Amino acid sequence: KPKRKAIMRSKLMMVDGLPMSDIVAVHWQDIRNFQAKPGDVLIATYPKSGTTWTQEMVELIRHNGDVEKCQRAPVFERIPCLELMRCMPPDLETVNAMPSPRYIKTHLPFNLVPSSFWEHNCKVIYVARNGRDTATSYYHFDRMAIMHPDPGTWDQYLQRFMSGNVGWGSWYDHVKGYWEGKDKCDMLYLFYEDIKQDPITEIRRIMKFLGKKLPDATVEKIAHCTSFNQMKNNDMANYSTFPKEIIDQSEQKFMRKGQVGDWKNIFTVRQNELFEEDYRKKMDHTTLKFKVSI
Ligand code: A3P
């Protein structure tokens, strides 16, 4: 196996109490001051929780299952990421000029979402994934995400994940923050595991939330087009055209496994025990519950 290339990786910087890639952190004021417009819809997630999957479902729903329309550009251009608007196209000015209703993705925690989204009562679709699978996916992702420090060994990374010292901060605070915030705004709180188990039902919930009615055949078509294998082979959904300076996919791919319970292949028994002990402390006081297998 060839040795991994030595690459210059970004560092994490603290911004408003959040560890954030310095390529994002240098533009922090622009991000915090982002001006949402009435009708904007925010897709919010902690990284690696099924963001891209949800973006593609939402895109197909809003375009009535029109696959051609969803081939017009890569998913990260069709639904741009708020934090990356100063790092890659489409830039902030382009997004500002996008016709309403705009769909925007963010990984910001609930308390750091720009206030303009709340002022305009924008809809939020939040997707949460169980912590073990999220940590597993994030570890593999950070091996290729040059925008983040090298993850080191899995054991080192898991410690960092548990302490919240990873890009966009603590998973625990993120999922709890939106869970507690869901009744304060117009939010649909979804779970990766539920979408995996019953995509049709969850697609219908998104449609209802967005006030969209579509025939059964279209809903089935959307579920088919957003299955892992279809998206993996769809260059407009699989991140194969994402800037290589930010994510280097020469050794592994963004579309990795797309499963529930893959954590069992990487957690040792001991790591699982430590994770569980720590999890109880952090998650005991919330009604939020996750499935760790289906
Ligand atoms: P894995 O690394 O576990 O495979 P995000 O889009 O938030 O970065 O999340 C990426 C994770 O979602 C990756 O998880 C990826 O494979 C998975 N994913 C992407 N599309 C999917 C789909 N259609 N079905 C299931 N999982 C999907």
Side-chain angles (χ1 to χ4, degrees):
K1 201 181 164 196
K3 262 178 80 179
R4 288 178 72 192
K5 290 192 300 273
I7 34 173
M8 271 298 285
R9 282 174 169 268
S10 303
K11 294 186 182 66
L12 295 178
M13 268 171 68
M14 287 302 269
V15 279
D16 281 333
L18 208 64
M20 185 64 71
S21 170
D22 55 12
I23 70 164
V24 171
V26 290
H27 305 295
W28 194 240
Q29 283 318 314
D30 281 347
I31 297 165
R32 293 286 289 137
N33 293 333
F34 181 79
Q35 290 304 306
K37 295 178 190 172
D40 285 351
V41 178
L42 196 61
I43 297 177
T45 58
Y46 186 80
K48 312 322 292 173
S49 302
T51 328
T52 316
W53 191 9
T54 309
Q55 283 173 274
E56 198 61 14
M57 288 189 290
V58 165
E59 264 281 287
L60 280 156
I61 291 170
R62 72 193 274 226
H63 293 300
N64 307 313
D66 186 336
V67 175
E68 286 285 299
K69 270 220 175 99
C70 297
Q71 286 290 317
R72 72 191 184 282
V75 61
F76 45 84
E77 288 180 21
R78 287 179 276 135
I79 301 185
C81 176
L82 172 57
E83 297 88 294
L84 294 181
M85 285 177 199
R86 284 283 182 233
C87 303
M88 57 177 280
D91 63 14
L92 184 56
E93 287 68 29
T94 309
V95 176
N96 283 342
M98 270 167 73
S100 292
R102 303 179 302 177
Y103 286 72
I104 293 162
K105 155 193 163 179
T106 189
H107 293 313
L108 291 176
F110 186 75
N111 64 324
L112 293 179
V113 170
S115 53
S116 52
F117 283 97
W118 309 133
E119 283 151 21
H120 296 303
N121 206 10
C122 295
K123 286 185 191 293
V124 181
I125 299 175
Y126 187 77
V127 190
R129 187 181 193 182
N130 80 76
R132 285 168 171 86
D133 278 331
T134 304
T136 305
S137 182
Y138 212 167
Y139 167 66
H140 290 288
F141 178 76
D142 271 1
R143 291 172 64 188
M144 49 181 169
I146 299 163
M147 65 183 294
H148 286 156
D150 189 288
T153 67
W154 161 242
D155 199 61
Q156 290 165 337
Y157 191 77
L158 185 59
Q159 292 299 324
R160 272 181 51 208
F161 181 88
M162 287 171 17
S163 68
N165 183 22
V166 290
W168 283 278
S170 160
W171 172 84
Y172 310 84
D173 292 345
H174 208 282
V175 293
K176 283 192 291 186
Y178 278 88
W179 185 250
E180 283 152 19
K182 75 181 183 333
D183 301 324
K184 297 181 203 145
C185 61
D186 196 3
M187 190 194 302
L188 179 67
Y189 197 109
L190 301 170
F191 293 93
Y192 181 103
E193 295 76 19
D194 291 344
I195 310 173
K196 190 80 196 177
Q197 202 166 25
D198 187 354
I200 300 269
T201 297
E202 299 308 300
I203 289 168
R204 284 194 200 286
R205 290 185 65 204
I206 299 173
M207 282 165 43
K208 188 166 178 234
F209 182 68
L210 297 175
K212 191 90 184 175
K213 286 201 170 76
L214 294 169
D216 290 354
T218 308
V219 177
E220 273 158 34
K221 181 180 171 192
I222 294 173
H224 171 73
C225 293
T226 54
S227 67
F228 182 74
N229 285 333
Q230 290 294 316
M231 279 185 60
K232 191 181 167 71
N233 294 315
N234 174 356
D235 282 339
M236 293 299 122
N238 65 11
Y239 266 62
S240 56
T241 62
F242 197 83
K244 291 174 182 50
E245 307 74 42
I246 304 179
I247 305 176
D248 174 8
Q249 296 183 73
S250 54
E251 288 184 26
Q252 31 167 6
K253 299 282 174 256
F254 181 92
M255 288 288 167
R256 199 180 61 89
K257 285 193 175 174
Q259 285 171 7
V260 177
D262 184 47
W263 63 271
K264 291 173 189 163
N265 294 317
I266 194 167
F267 276 72
T268 64
V269 172
R270 181 79 190 126
Q271 283 166 345
N272 189 36
E273 285 166 1
L274 290 173
F275 188 91
E276 184 59 27
E277 199 182 304
D278 177 70
Y279 192 93
R280 287 227 179 94
K281 284 186 209 139
K282 291 178 172 134
M283 303 295 281
D284 246 12
H285 303 289
T286 169
T287 52
L288 178 57
K289 295 281 176 280
F290 286 90
K291 294 175 188 154
V292 293
S293 56
I294 55 172

